[in-house]
Amino acid sequence: MSDRSEIMVITAHPDDAEFGSAGSVAKWTREGRRVVYVVCTSGDKGTDDPDMTPRKLAKIREKEQKAAAAVLGVSEVVFLRYPDQGLEDTPDFRKAIVRQIRAYTPEMIVTSDPYRRYIWHRDHRITGQVTLDAVFPFARDLAAYPDLIEEGLMPHKVQKILFFGAEDVNLFIDITETFDLKLAALNCHQSQIAQLNIPDLEKKLWERCRKMAEGTDFEVAEAFHQVTVPL
């Protein structure tokens, strides 16, 4: 595998990272921190175009995700290529996430909050839950996957997890200086942005991030629930 990362962003679909954490990612990479994306599904169901095939869309969405990652300074994008709307909390999926954590040894992981109530994409919920379980205890424990150790993927202890889409927010990150990069990265996902039919994406996004910054001294922010992982 590649060099270790400081931060790993694990998402269900291409564009989830940009909606949830792109301003923070741009801030971290500007600080010289190495960020790696792990995208769990191909996003192949994300269209309302009857002439678009899932196979063609998967290729488009991977290309868009790579472009967005380049805008933000992300070092690498790993595509697991599970089917969109097909994620399940299975031993196979959990092991796939453990493999990435042990390969890249991130200090911090960013993912979707599995505990958001009511309307939340099932893939988001499952990705967050499986990632949380992978971090603690499976990626950490020596005896969890002896076959991974045989491959040279030793146990790793993640220090923190940040959940985007959280209702219970305890961390605000100032993205005033990187908002333009968040917007530019989102605009890379034209297969998704076009069908949202938002007249003024910049205005809508600014209002959303300004609302997240309420109660802080920031103009605009991204909001997370942060968990410190017990060692």
Side-chain angles (χ1 to χ4, degrees), residues 79-191:
F79 295 102
L80 299 184
R81 298 191 174 100
Y82 285 90
D84 192 4
Q85 300 180 11
L87 289 180
E88 297 294 343
D89 186 346
T90 63
D92 173 77
F93 184 30
R94 184 174 63 243
K95 185 176 182 179
I97 299 298
V98 170
R99 180 184 294 278
Q100 299 305 318
I101 293 171
R102 290 191 180 186
Y104 290 97
T105 62
E107 297 172 9
M108 182 170 74
I109 286 178
V110 183
T111 192
S112 48
D113 191 331
Y115 304 118
R116 179 168 173 166
R117 294 175 296 174
Y118 309 121
I119 303 301
W120 194 220
H121 198 300
R122 178 175 170 79
D123 286 347
H124 295 178
R125 186 176 294 113
I126 291 173
T127 296
Q129 186 63 65
V130 171
T131 298
L132 182 58
D133 293 340
V135 168
F136 185 88
F138 291 93
R140 179 201 67 176
D141 285 358
L142 183 67
Y145 296 104
D147 56 323
L148 293 185
I149 293 175
E150 290 174 7
E151 294 178 30
L153 299 177
M154 301 303 292
H156 174 68
K157 297 178 181 179
V158 175
Q159 297 175 20
K160 291 182 180 179
I161 309 177
L162 269 56
F163 295 103
F164 60 78
E167 295 171 330
D168 179 15
V169 172
N170 62 6
L171 177 68
F172 301 88
I173 295 179
D174 183 1
I175 64 163
T176 307
E177 299 300 320
T178 56
F179 175 84
D180 59 332
L181 292 173
K182 180 180 178 75
L183 178 64
L186 268 174
N187 273 318
C188 291
H189 296 281
Q190 278 303 305
S191 69

Side-chain angles (χ1 to χ4, degrees), residues 35-39 62 65-70 74-79 104:
V35 179
V36 169
Y37 277 5
V38 175
V39 183
E62 286 196 11
Q65 181 63 92
K66 289 177 182 177
V74 172
S75 298
E76 190 170 350
V77 183
V78 178
F79 295 102
Y104 290 97

Side-chain angles (χ1 to χ4, degrees), residues 9 11 13-25 37 61 65 68 72 110 116 120 124 164-165 175 179 181-183 185-198 201 204-205 208-209 212 221-224:
V9 183
T11 64
H13 313 103
D15 82 16
D16 291 347
E18 281 65 57
F19 275 109
S21 60
S24 302
V25 168
Y37 277 5
R61 297 205 68 186
Q65 181 63 92
L72 300 171
V110 183
R116 179 168 173 166
W120 194 220
H124 295 178
F164 60 78
I175 64 163
F179 175 84
L181 292 173
K182 180 180 178 75
L183 178 64
L186 268 174
N187 273 318
C188 291
H189 296 281
Q190 278 303 305
S191 69
Q192 306 304 296
I193 297 300
Q195 66 186 11
L196 291 177
N197 197 28
I198 300 173
L201 178 62
K204 186 76 172 179
L205 189 64
R208 180 171 178 262
C209 294
M212 287 188 186
E222 288 174 339
F224 304 90

